[in-house]
Amino acid sequence: MIDRQNDLKDALDSLRGKELKISTDPDTSITLERLLPSLGDWGRRVVGDSFGTQWELLLKNRFGSHIVQTWLTLAADTLDREDRGVFPPQQEEQNEEVGVLPTMGELVKGLVSSIEANLAFMLANPFASPVVRLLWLVLSPGRALPDLDGEGAEGIRSKRSNKYRKGQGVQGKSIFGDEVEKGKGAGRKFDETLVGLRKEMRVGLMGKLSGAEWRMLGVNAVGCVAVQVSRALPDFMAEVLMYSYFSNLK
């Protein structure tokens, strides 16, 4: 176990500062994809923080999209623990003079903020749309998420992503033998301010999409899946999205 921990630390150290480049490179992204399930909450936050404000670039990139889909799936459990006040030991050891690592909640807020301006276009983008659909679910308490091995991913994680992962032998398991929690749903909680991010995204979409654009999204091969997923969300966002969509058909 100690040898594996040391190997993981060495691997992460070699990636430090290069996460964005590695995530979008077809030859190296798979390395990070395999490492992510082995990271604890602190490691997940380090990776998310390394992307800075470059989320849109990642989402629109074929390989970056794979990385963010995996990162978001894992982030959901970290958000749940943060809501319960459970943080890794490094949290108390931080020095404000050196710098404080953002919490997972802060990182997700940053992700939403960085993609809001072009969110409407991302719904029809084959690489970005699956990430946005997954983000909606992550921000929906009580909604089960697809497993890292692809189970329960219909309409969420792209078929292209699942096929690629299987082709590369990515199993979504920790190298330490820890079981990555599957299908977490009803017990998942997080700060109410994060739930508000869904409304923030919804308001942005309502202000940018005309009736004609909603109709185009509904018949778009990629965008229509986003509309279908929104219908499954048991909340205000889905209700308003669908009301707007169908009212514009009149």
Side-chain angles (χ1 to χ4, degrees):
M1 181 67 73
I2 294 179
D3 288 341
R4 287 187 177 184
Q5 290 176 335
N6 289 334
D7 289 342
L8 178 60
K9 183 179 183 302
D10 290 341
L12 289 176
D13 287 343
S14 68
L15 298 178
R16 194 65 51 82
K18 308 172 186 174
E19 291 89 345
L20 183 62
K21 181 178 180 181
I22 289 172
S23 298
T24 55
D25 186 285
D27 296 321
T28 59
S29 62
I30 197 64
T31 300
L32 184 55
E33 180 87 5
R34 290 192 175 110
L35 285 177
L36 282 173
S38 300
L39 301 181
D41 292 338
W42 185 263
R44 297 170 187 176
R45 287 163 56 187
V46 169
V47 171
D49 184 55
S50 73
F51 296 144
T53 59
Q54 301 299 310
W55 291 103
E56 184 173 345
L57 185 155
L58 281 167
L59 266 63
K60 291 181 176 179
N61 179 272
R62 173 187 174 186
F63 302 99
S65 173
H66 300 324
I67 296 295
V68 181
Q69 288 178 66
T70 296
W71 183 83
L72 271 176
T73 302
L74 295 166
D77 287 339
T78 302
L79 290 172
D80 177 67
R81 282 187 283 274
E82 289 185 354
D83 183 69
R84 292 184 279 112
V86 179
F87 290 87
Q90 298 96 320
Q91 185 72 14
E92 298 298 326
E93 301 170 0
Q94 298 186 92
N95 186 330
E96 292 188 4
E97 294 183 0
V98 177
V100 176
L101 185 68
T103 64
M104 186 59 78
E106 291 169 339
L107 290 171
V108 172
K109 290 177 184 177
L111 189 166
V112 172
S113 177
S114 68
I115 68 173
E116 275 186 309
N118 295 314
L119 184 60
F121 300 103
M122 290 186 181
L123 293 180
N125 183 286
F127 303 128
S129 185
V131 184
V132 175
R133 300 193 300 255
L134 179 58
L135 178 60
W136 285 352
L137 285 188
V138 169
L139 294 176
S140 299
R143 292 292 300 179
L145 300 176
D147 300 333
L148 290 179
D149 59 9
E151 294 182 14
E154 184 176 356
I156 307 300
R157 187 153 196 156
S158 65
K159 294 180 179 179
R160 182 183 289 106
S161 181
N162 283 323
K163 182 178 180 180
Y164 172 76
R165 285 163 53 84
K166 290 179 180 179
Q168 295 294 325
V170 178
Q171 299 180 333
K173 297 180 180 179
S174 168
I175 63 173
F176 302 120
D178 302 326
E179 184 68 21
V180 177
E181 197 159 2
K182 294 186 176 183
K184 189 162 186 177
R188 191 165 56 86
K189 300 179 181 179
F190 45 81
D191 191 277
E192 283 299 316
T193 60
L194 291 174
V195 180
L197 291 177
R198 290 175 303 168
K199 180 179 179 180
E200 191 176 309
M201 287 188 283
R202 185 262 302 168
V203 170
L205 286 173
M206 294 301 99
K208 293 180 179 179
L209 289 175
S210 66
E213 288 170 327
W214 270 114
R215 290 193 290 274
M216 291 177 63
L217 183 65
V219 298
N220 179 275
V222 176
C224 69
V225 182
V227 174
Q228 292 168 2
V229 170
S230 73
R231 293 182 63 185
L233 297 177
D235 55 28
F236 177 65
M237 177 181 179
E239 189 174 311
V240 176
L241 277 172
M242 296 314 298
Y243 172 78
S244 175
Y245 173 68
F246 286 113
S247 65
N248 281 320
L249 291 178
K250 298 177 182 180

